[in-house]
Amino acid sequence: MTASPAEKLVAMANQIATFFDTQPGDPSDGIAKHINEFWEPRMREGLLAHAATTTQDLSPSVIAALPHIRRAPQAA
């Protein structure tokens, strides 16, 4: 069975969290910074849209980072 795009984004975010959870400081800061710098806007929007419906599959650190993840700019 192939993972959905949302499942892939969740897996990627959780992998990022696995790394930042081992680093000093608040992992949510590093997670949000990484996602904001390296994920394209559609990816960020996909993660945020998924999290708006459920967070049960997201790590606690990713959940804490969600408010700091930038939304994609809206088209004019």
Side-chain angles (χ1 to χ4, degrees):
M1 185 168 133
T2 304
S4 72
E7 290 170 331
K8 290 177 184 177
L9 294 172
V10 166
M12 290 169 54
N14 286 339
Q15 286 177 336
I16 294 165
T18 298
F19 172 78
F20 283 104
D21 284 343
T22 66
Q23 304 302 304
D26 181 359
S28 66
D29 291 338
I31 295 165
K33 182 177 180 189
H34 180 90
I35 290 173
N36 286 331
E37 287 182 10
F38 297 107
W39 285 26
E40 66 176 36
R42 289 180 300 174
M43 293 170 69
R44 294 194 312 264
E45 282 299 320
L47 179 64
L48 293 170
H50 175 78
T53 61
T54 182
T55 58
Q56 78 179 44
D57 48 354
L58 292 169
S59 81
S61 298
V62 173
I63 294 169
L66 290 171
H68 307 289
I69 295 173
R70 286 193 307 266
R71 298 209 69 99
Q74 298 300 314

